[in-house]
Amino acid sequence: MKSWWIFRMILLGAIYFLVLSLGVMTLWNYLLPNLFNAPAINFLQALGLFALAKILFGGIGPDRWGMGYYARRSAWKRKFEQKWSGMTPEEKENFKRNFKYRCGNWYQQESEMPVEDKINND
C-alpha cells in the first residue's frame, strides 16, 4: 500500500513538473521573441529553465514542499505543553478566559473584557 502511495506521489510530481515546463515554454515562445527578439526554446530547454528557476527562487527540500510544517507544528505544540504544565490553575483560567474573549467570543462588549485586558488597553 505504501509503495503505491510513493509511486503515485512521484508520478504526480513528474506530471506537475512537465505541465509547468510546458507552460514556461509556451509563455516564453509567445512573449519573449516578440518583445526582446529572444530565440524560441524547445520543451527540454523549458524544462531546464523551470528547474533552474525552482532551485534559485523556490528552493528545494522538505520545508519548501510543505513537509517542514509538521516539524514546526510539533515543536510549537511541545513548547506550549511545557508552558501549560508550568502554569498555576489561576494562570490557566486567566489564559482560557483571555483566549475565549480574543478568539471565541469576538462579539462581546467591552464591559465583558477580562480585567487584565482593560488595564493594558488604557
Side-chain angles (χ1 to χ4, degrees):
M1 186 70 164
K2 188 174 182 176
S3 62
W4 170 248
W5 185 83
I6 292 171
F7 174 73
R8 189 172 60 182
M9 288 298 115
I10 291 172
L11 183 64
L12 286 175
I15 291 171
Y16 164 80
F17 212 75
L18 293 175
V19 168
L20 288 178
S21 297
L22 183 64
V24 167
M25 183 186 75
T26 304
L27 285 172
W28 179 286
N29 289 338
Y30 180 74
L31 294 173
L32 293 179
N34 295 331
L35 294 174
F36 303 113
N37 292 330
I41 60 174
N42 62 27
F43 182 76
L44 288 177
Q45 290 170 329
L47 187 69
L49 184 65
F50 179 65
L52 180 65
K54 181 67 180 157
I55 291 168
L56 292 177
F57 302 115
I60 56 174
D63 194 36
R64 296 292 183 166
W65 292 92
M67 292 180 200
Y69 165 76
Y70 297 106
R72 287 190 307 272
R73 182 174 176 227
S74 63
W76 177 86
K77 190 175 180 180
R78 277 192 307 273
K79 184 178 176 183
F80 181 76
E81 286 173 349
Q82 288 174 350
K83 185 176 180 180
W84 184 262
S85 65
M87 286 183 177
T88 64
E90 294 83 22
E91 290 173 330
K92 289 179 182 180
E93 268 311 306
N94 189 25
F95 178 83
K96 287 179 188 178
R97 187 180 40 214
N98 285 335
F99 187 82
K100 184 177 180 183
Y101 169 73
R102 292 176 189 269
C103 301
N105 297 330
W106 52 270
Y107 52 84
Q108 283 182 328
Q109 299 296 323
E110 184 156 333
S111 62
E112 299 176 43
M113 184 184 290
V115 176
E116 293 82 12
D117 284 350
K118 286 183 184 176
I119 295 169
N120 293 337
N121 287 337
D122 292 337

